[in-house]
Amino acid sequence: MLDIDGKTHEMLINNYISNLKIKKWESNYVIAEKTVQLFRHFIDTINWSTTIELLNQLREYGFQITSALPLQFIVGNIIRRILNIVREEYTAARKSSEEEIDVQDSLHKIVTSEDDVDDYNSIVPELKLSIFEHLDEFQMEIESSNEDISKQALEHIHSNEIILTVGKSSEVEMFLKEAAKDRIFEVFITECSPLNHGRQLALNLSKHKIQSTLIPDSTMFGIMSRVNKVIIGVDSVMANGGLRTFNGCHAVALAAAHYSVPVIVLAPMYKLSSRYLCSYNQDAFNEFVSPAGVLNYSDSVVSKVDVYNPTYDYVPPENVTLFISNNGGHSPSYVYRLLSEIYHPLDYDLSVQNK
């Protein structure tokens, strides 16, 4: 299928997958933006007349992309959200047209309509325009998500508190900078070895006159008794309220639980995933990088051991106190409700085509 630039959709998908595999786009925010742009283009150029044709084609492209990028949870989140947007706009258009036909619905009609399952086969005029307007709102939500989260900082950070965080997260950095405008507090940052992302966050905070101390990962438990709260970023929030986040966060969460220190997680809504961690299946959950930062290749021990250097940690929901998203604060047990609001159950498995 050719688009206006003469490139096939297959070429666009392959370029998109290639860019993610070579890590051209490091930030989850950039990945989310690029995914919305790609699927907006598909909606504009796919030849469709009924909504079910559009949904099936988008699901086919979504399945192709997510199968090639099983560890990029953000991609699947955005695709499912876009599919839900298409469904919502179709349903809203159908309801408005039905209301024009019959303003005074009978009680019997209202009750029986709850059991109706829409097949999305009706032709709805100007549906594409409505979808694009909703996608514009979604893009604005993604762009402003970190700012919306940081606006809640003063509700959770108070003067003279000691905050502990792990590695470098753009959400955490903006959150702390916003709180520092009206509060004086101290931040301990674990360096998150061997990638040492925490060093950059400590440098950025110190430039904003925030008292920051970079500590080795090994000293985290010893200092936890002095900490008032732990604030961390996240790569993805799993469907059960668990976290896929920086390596080392699970140890921090366990230490916080030992000292009854609250763990606050900053997560935009587009990081909420419909996936679970099944039986600690690390191949479908984690990404492993070079162990050079853990063990020097010149060491004679290298030939005698297998060294694994995982990128992510899984933090179970019982170790999380509060999620702060761009829509407000939520407990881990409320994640199931958020999932039902932003994703449609039929889109959890993209390999199954709608009839």
Side-chain angles (χ1 to χ4, degrees):
M1 189 178 296
L2 287 172
D3 61 21
I4 55 175
D5 297 324
K7 293 184 179 179
T8 66
H9 286 176
E10 287 297 321
M11 289 172 60
L12 292 173
I13 290 173
N14 290 336
N15 288 340
Y16 173 85
I17 292 171
S18 175
N19 286 333
L20 280 173
K21 285 187 173 180
I22 65 175
K23 298 188 182 299
K24 181 178 180 180
W25 308 318
E26 290 281 353
S27 164
N28 281 329
Y29 162 75
V30 175
I31 294 172
E33 289 259 293
K34 295 292 184 182
T35 308
V36 173
Q37 291 171 11
L38 180 67
F39 275 77
R40 184 190 180 98
H41 180 77
F42 289 159
I43 293 170
D44 191 31
T45 55
I46 289 173
N47 185 20
W48 57 279
S49 56
T50 62
T51 308
I52 192 65
E53 294 174 355
L54 175 63
L55 285 172
N56 283 337
Q57 189 63 65
L58 293 179
R59 286 166 61 84
E60 182 182 328
Y61 289 158
F63 179 67
Q64 184 178 344
I65 291 171
T66 53
S67 298
L69 302 164
L71 297 177
Q72 289 288 352
F73 289 6
I74 295 293
V75 173
N77 299 347
I78 299 297
I79 292 171
R80 291 179 178 89
R81 185 75 180 272
I82 291 173
L83 289 169
N84 193 45
I85 286 172
V86 174
R87 295 180 189 275
E88 285 181 348
E89 290 303 322
Y90 172 84
T91 304
R94 284 291 306 277
K95 283 183 178 179
S96 63
S97 63
E98 287 173 3
E99 286 172 3
E100 290 173 4
I101 296 170
D102 186 4
V103 178
Q104 297 179 341
D105 286 337
S106 66
L107 179 62
H108 174 73
K109 183 177 179 181
I110 293 172
V111 172
T112 55
S113 66
E114 292 179 358
D115 297 327
D116 293 344
V117 178
D118 206 316
D119 57 8
Y120 299 97
N121 276 317
S122 300
I123 296 177
V124 178
E126 298 185 359
L127 177 60
K128 183 186 287 188
L129 181 61
S130 300
I131 292 172
F132 283 163
E133 289 176 356
H134 200 150
L135 285 176
D136 288 338
E137 294 175 6
F138 181 39
Q139 282 187 292
M140 289 178 63
E141 177 191 324
I142 293 173
E143 291 172 4
S144 63
S145 56
N146 282 7
E147 184 179 348
D148 292 336
I149 290 173
S150 67
K151 288 178 181 177
Q152 305 169 60
L154 295 179
E155 300 173 20
H156 301 280
I157 296 179
H158 308 288
S159 294
N160 302 318
E161 282 191 331
I162 296 178
I163 310 296
L164 177 69
T165 188
V166 180
K168 183 183 185 301
S169 163
S170 59
E171 291 89 2
V172 172
E173 182 176 341
M174 189 175 292
F175 194 80
L176 295 174
K177 287 178 179 178
E178 184 66 26
K181 293 178 181 179
D182 293 295
R183 303 276 195 270
I184 297 175
F185 54 89
E186 185 177 358
V187 182
F188 285 101
I189 306 163
T190 63
E191 61 182 356
C192 205
S193 179
L195 299 177
N196 298 321
H197 290 154
R199 296 177 182 177
Q200 186 61 48
L201 178 60
L203 180 62
N204 293 347
L205 293 181
S206 63
K207 289 179 180 178
H208 281 74
K209 311 302 180 184
I210 300 174
Q211 186 177 350
S212 308
T213 305
L214 184 68
I215 61 172
D217 298 337
S218 56
T219 63
M220 165 269 304
F221 187 85
I223 209 168
M224 188 63 73
S225 59
R226 296 176 52 199
V227 171
N228 296 105
K229 53 178 64 84
V230 174
I231 301 177
I232 58 174
V234 67
D235 180 79
S236 286
V237 178
M238 312 299 284
N240 64 338
L243 312 177
R244 184 173 88 155
T245 185
F246 310 112
N247 190 19
C249 279
H250 189 202
V252 170
L254 291 174
H258 179 80
Y259 286 105
S260 300
V261 175
V263 176
I264 297 175
V265 178
L266 309 184
M269 290 296 289
Y270 66 83
K271 291 189 177 183
L272 182 58
S273 174
S274 61
R275 296 174 62 175
Y276 292 85
L277 174 60
C278 299
S279 303
Y280 291 85
N281 182 5
Q282 291 295 316
D283 290 336
F285 175 82
N286 220 328
E287 183 179 1
F288 296 89
V289 294
S290 170
V294 180
L295 197 61
N296 197 312
Y297 287 126
S298 61
D299 198 315
S300 59
V301 180
V302 170
S303 60
K304 303 175 183 177
V305 296
D306 293 326
V307 183
Y308 296 95
N309 187 12
T311 302
Y312 303 113
D313 251 358
Y314 174 70
V315 179
E318 54 266 25
N319 293 137
V320 177
T321 308
L322 180 71
F323 288 108
I324 300 178
S325 73
N326 40 304
N327 290 347
H330 313 284
S331 67
S333 61
Y334 193 71
V335 168
Y336 81 96
R337 177 66 180 168
L338 297 175
L339 277 174
S340 67
E341 291 177 359
I342 62 175
Y343 304 133
H344 195 284
L346 292 177
D347 297 325
Y348 284 9
D349 185 0
L350 296 175
S351 63
V352 180
Q353 291 291 302
N354 296 154
K355 301 297 183 183

